Amino acid sequence: MLLLPMIVLATAAARTPVVLVADVGVDDASALIWLAKDPTIDLLGVAASFGCHGDVRQTAANARRVLRAAGRPCVPVYVGSPYALGEAAPPSDDGSYVHGSDGLGSVAEAPEELRMPSCNVDETLSAAEFIARTARERPGEVTIIVTSPLTNLALAYLLEPHLPELVTRTLVMGGAVRHPGNVSPLAEANFAHDARAARLVVDAFSSDDGDRLVIAPLDVTMAGAVDHVHVASELDKAGVAQRLLAKAWRTYIGNYCTVLKECGPKAVLHDAHTVAYLRRPDLYDTELLTLEVSVGGAANGHSLLDRRTLSASDDEIDDRTGAVGGRKRRCTVLTGVDAAGFREAFLSAVAPPVINVSLPIVKETTHGLRTYAAPHPLKA
C-alpha cells in the first residue's frame, strides 16, 4: 500500500517546539502519539515522571516504547525524580489499578513493535535539567506540556527561576476546579500525587494576564469523553503505536468499569486535551481564574478557586489585613469543550482516514507501454 503524505508542509521555522512532561500511561500515550505524529510539532524530548506507575523508570520505558512504535525512537526520554517534593521515598500509591500493572495497559509487546527501528540517544540529563537547559537554549520558543504530577517542572523552576518567562506557554492537565476530584472528593490525581509541586507551579507560572499557564482540569476532560468503541476501532486501523494505544485503552476502560464502577459507551482521554488546545484552541471555552493548590489533609491537591470579586478592579485582597493592592495573578482554565470537535481533531491527527484515489498503473506489454487506471487505497 502506498502512503500519501499529509498535505501539510511545516518548515522547521514554523513547527512548534514542545517539551512533554509525562508519566506515560494510557491517556498520556494519546498525547504523546499526537505530538509524535503531528508535522507542525517539533517534539524535543520527554521528561518522565512517576504517576500512572509509581516507578519513574517504568514510565520512562513506556515513553520509549510508544515513541518507537510511533516511528520516533530518536526522541530522547529523560528520567525524572522518583518521588514528590519533600518526600524521601517513591509514592505508596499510583495509577496502576486503572492503567495496568506496567502503567500501559499490561499489553504484551507485539511482533510489529519489535520490527520498528530503534535509536541510541544521550539521555544522561535528569528530567529537570533537560527542561531548564532547553528553556535557556531556546528562550521564547518552547511550549511545555505537562500530563503528570508537576514534580519535574517544579524542580526545573528551582534550577531556573526565570523558567516561566523563558518558555512561550505551559499547558497542564491537572486539577478539578468546579468538578469533583478523581482520587479524593476534591483532588485530581496529577495535583494530588505532588500537591507541593502543583502549588509551586501554579503560583510561579500564573501571571497578571493569565496567558502564561493553561490548565485543563477534570471539568473539561470529563466533558470531552468520546465513544470509545468507535475511537478504538479507528486506532486499530491506523498504525503500530495506535494499535498499542487501542489495546491499552481497552484495559483502562475495563478497569474504570470494574474497579471504579464507571461504565458506559464513552471514555476519557484526559491528557490529549492539552495537545488539542495547542492545536485547536477554538474548540474550548476558557476563563481567567486565580487558583491555589491545597497541601496536606483531606483537601490535599485541591484546586482552590478564589471566588472573591471586587466591583472596581481585580486587585488582590490581603488575607490578614483586608488591604487591597496588586492585581491577582491568574491562569487560563479550560472550562468547556466541543466534544465532537475534539474527537475529530484527535482522530484526524492520530488516526487519519484511509481514502481511495485512482492512480494510473503502467503495465508493460509486447506492444510497448499501456496505461490502465485502477483505484488504490491510500492513507492520508
Side-chain angles (χ1 to χ4, degrees), residues 257-268:
C257 185
T258 58
V259 178
L260 301 178
K261 309 305 179 186
E262 295 182 15
C263 310
K266 293 191 175 183
V268 291

Side-chain angles (χ1 to χ4, degrees), residues 2-4 353-361 373-380:
L2 297 174
L3 297 181
L4 179 67
V354 174
I355 58 175
N356 287 322
V357 178
S358 294
L359 292 179
I361 296 177
H376 283 257
L378 300 182
K379 183 178 291 185

Side-chain angles (χ1 to χ4, degrees), residues 14 27 40 46 49 58 62 68 92 100 104 110 122 129 146 149 191 277 286 306 323 338 359:
D27 54 328
T40 72
V46 177
S49 308
Q58 181 63 52
N62 292 347
R68 183 183 179 188
S92 58
L104 196 58
D122 182 2
E129 290 171 321
V146 186
F191 278 20
Y277 180 76
T286 64
D306 188 347
D338 174 353
L359 292 179

Side-chain angles (χ1 to χ4, degrees), residues 8 21 28 42 46 65 82 93 134 190 197 206 208 230-231 258 262 274 300 304 343 348 354 372:
V8 179
V21 186
D28 302 77
D42 182 10
V46 177
R65 179 181 177 184
D93 63 334
T134 303
N190 285 342
S206 293
D208 291 345
H230 170 68
V231 172
T258 58
E262 295 182 15
T274 54
N300 186 63
L304 178 62
R343 180 196 65 203
S348 294
V354 174
Y372 302 87

Side-chain angles (χ1 to χ4, degrees), residues 22-33 49 51-53 58-60 62-63 66 95 98-100 102-105 147-148 244-245 248-249 252 271:
D23 54 335
V24 173
V26 178
D27 54 328
D28 302 77
S30 68
L32 179 53
I33 294 170
S49 308
C52 294
H53 194 281
Q58 181 63 52
T59 65
N62 292 347
V66 171
V98 171
H99 290 267
D102 66 351
L104 196 58
T147 62
S148 68
L244 169 60
L245 173 58
W249 198 34
Y252 177 86
D271 295 332

Side-chain angles (χ1 to χ4, degrees), residues 61-370:
N62 292 347
R64 296 187 185 104
R65 179 181 177 184
V66 171
L67 285 165
R68 183 183 179 188
R72 299 291 305 278
C74 295
V75 174
V77 178
Y78 301 92
V79 177
S81 173
Y83 38 79
L85 290 185
E87 301 295 332
S92 58
D93 63 334
D94 59 21
S96 59
Y97 64 98
V98 171
H99 290 267
S101 60
D102 66 351
L104 196 58
S106 304
V107 177
E109 197 166 27
E112 64 179 356
E113 290 183 58
L114 299 174
R115 291 193 292 269
M116 298 297 288
S118 58
C119 186
N120 292 319
V121 291
D122 182 2
E123 299 172 337
T124 54
L125 291 176
S126 71
E129 290 171 321
F130 162 64
I131 297 167
R133 187 191 70 175
T134 303
R136 290 183 187 128
E137 291 178 348
R138 304 183 67 166
E141 296 182 26
V142 178
T143 294
I144 295 177
I145 293 179
V146 186
T147 62
S148 68
L150 288 98
T151 312
N152 292 308
L153 183 58
L155 290 171
Y157 169 69
L158 295 175
L159 288 174
E160 175 48 79
H162 296 291
L163 185 62
E165 294 83 29
L166 287 172
V167 300
T168 301
R169 188 168 46 174
T170 301
L171 290 77
V172 173
M173 189 279 127
V177 179
R178 301 184 180 99
H179 193 281
N182 61 359
V183 293
S184 79
L186 295 173
E188 176 274 335
N190 285 342
F191 278 20
H193 283 153
D194 194 343
R196 292 185 186 92
R199 182 181 182 119
L200 177 59
V201 167
V202 170
D203 288 350
F205 284 74
S206 293
S207 61
D208 291 345
D209 293 332
D211 58 352
R212 212 161 55 186
L213 174 64
V214 179
I215 295 178
L218 290 179
D219 308 55
V220 73
T221 65
M222 295 300 291
V226 297
D227 177 347
H228 60 77
V229 173
H230 170 68
V231 172
S233 67
E234 293 300 307
L235 292 171
D236 279 332
K237 297 182 287 186
V240 178
Q242 295 90 329
R243 282 188 283 277
L244 169 60
L245 173 58
K247 293 174 185 175
W249 198 34
R250 290 185 177 103
T251 299
Y252 177 86
I253 293 164
N255 288 339
Y256 252 87
C257 185
T258 58
V259 178
L260 301 178
K261 309 305 179 186
E262 295 182 15
C263 310
K266 293 191 175 183
V268 291
L269 288 166
H270 296 293
D271 295 332
H273 285 274
T274 54
V275 187
Y277 180 76
L278 177 66
R279 297 290 289 115
R280 290 287 308 276
D282 57 295
L283 296 175
Y284 292 87
D285 299 322
T286 64
E287 291 185 54
L288 293 175
L289 300 176
T290 298
L291 298 180
E292 182 176 300
V293 180
S294 302
V295 176
N300 186 63
H302 176 220
S303 310
L304 178 62
L305 170 62
D306 188 347
R307 292 182 171 86
R308 297 171 298 181
T309 58
L310 297 174
S311 58
S313 71
D314 287 327
D315 286 345
E316 186 176 26
I317 303 173
D318 189 296
D319 292 323
R320 297 165 298 170
T321 67
V324 177
R327 187 178 177 88
K328 291 180 182 178
R329 290 165 60 83
R330 300 176 294 180
C331 56
T332 298
V333 177
L334 309 186
T335 56
V337 61
D338 174 353
F342 163 73
R343 180 196 65 203
E344 294 310 312
F346 173 74
L347 289 177
S348 294
V350 174
V354 174
I355 58 175
N356 287 322
V357 178
S358 294
L359 292 179
I361 296 177
V362 178
K363 182 178 180 180
E364 186 174 0
T365 70
T366 55
H367 301 292
L369 292 178
R370 299 183 63 183

